[in-house]
Amino acid sequence: MRTGEVARRTTETDITVQLTLDGQGQGEIATGIGFFDHMLTAFAKHSGFDVAIKAEGDLEVDGHHTVEDVGICLGKALRQAVGDGSGIARFGEATVPMDEALVQAVVDVGGRSFLACQLTMTSPLIGAYDTQLTIEFLRALAANAGLTLHVRQLAGSNDHHIVEAAYKAVGRALGAACQPNSQGLVLSTKGTLEG
């Protein structure tokens, strides 16, 4: 089983994440931020990963610590599940429409952390979710999973649609990148995907 499990406790958050790459797209998510739960459930569904996340954070301050720390933990769990990268496709790409919005995600699970994110949102909040935290989540995910991740908004004016298309696109791209490759080898001339 290609799985990862992370528990992280600080003075700001208490988070557990369990991830199975070869799953059914099941999400059991409880972060205390309704829209974020919805996005992580969509991420699980479209990646095909089974994801269980329980997070308690200092939401009386705001959602920043919770969202960022979930990204850290999810990234670490993904890295654990991928291991040395033996047998995965490594690269994945998805472009997802949601009504007027269109977002593309391209990922390399190659051990090199980099995020390029071009999303234009005009509303500060979607429910209790700070739209600026989309980039913080993606940055934490990429840094801790060792991803090169490009996310580009190609169209869109409704922030809910833009953010949801982004989470779905990232999920689908990662799902494709973590699929078995036909050779069963590490797809790198270095012989490793560990940085």
Side-chain angles (χ1 to χ4, degrees):
M1 292 290 290
R2 300 185 300 161
T3 62
E5 185 169 350
V6 172
R8 182 176 193 266
R9 186 171 191 170
T10 71
T11 57
E12 298 169 340
T13 60
D14 186 359
I15 298 170
T16 58
V17 172
Q18 297 170 314
L19 181 143
T20 302
L21 296 182
D22 305 304
Q24 302 295 317
Q26 300 296 315
E28 296 181 21
I29 314 295
T31 68
I33 305 171
F35 184 76
F36 189 40
D37 291 355
H38 180 46
M39 294 301 94
L40 292 170
T41 301
F43 170 89
K45 177 66 72 177
H46 289 276
S47 65
F49 305 156
D50 288 344
V51 182
I53 298 173
K54 183 176 181 182
E56 295 179 2
D58 55 356
L59 298 182
E60 71 281 1
V61 176
D62 67 8
H64 191 288
H65 300 142
T66 298
V67 173
E68 183 177 33
D69 289 5
V70 166
I72 290 168
C73 294
L74 185 59
K76 288 182 177 181
L78 179 60
R79 195 74 230 165
Q80 280 181 23
V82 167
D84 68 359
S86 294
I88 66 166
R90 179 176 171 180
F91 301 102
E93 182 274 331
T95 304
V96 171
M98 186 164 182
D99 295 347
E100 87 301 341
L102 186 65
V103 177
Q104 178 187 51
V106 183
V107 67
D108 174 10
V109 187
R112 294 167 63 93
S113 302
F114 182 82
L115 173 67
C117 187
Q118 299 171 0
L119 298 174
T120 303
M121 293 161 289
T122 57
S123 301
L125 293 173
I126 303 170
Y129 176 85
D130 183 342
T131 54
Q132 292 182 355
L133 296 182
T134 305
I135 294 171
E136 298 303 322
F137 169 78
L138 294 173
R139 182 179 293 119
L141 177 69
N144 289 276
L147 309 176
T148 295
L149 177 60
H150 289 252
V151 181
R152 274 195 312 169
Q153 177 184 333
L154 304 176
S157 56
N158 181 296
D159 289 342
H160 184 131
H161 296 163
I162 293 164
V163 174
E164 188 163 346
Y167 274 88
K168 288 177 177 177
V170 170
R172 291 185 68 84
L174 278 170
C178 293
Q179 286 295 307
N181 68 52
S182 58
Q183 301 94 340
L185 304 172
V186 175
L187 295 181
S188 172
T189 54
K190 295 184 295 187
T192 181
L193 297 184
E194 297 186 281

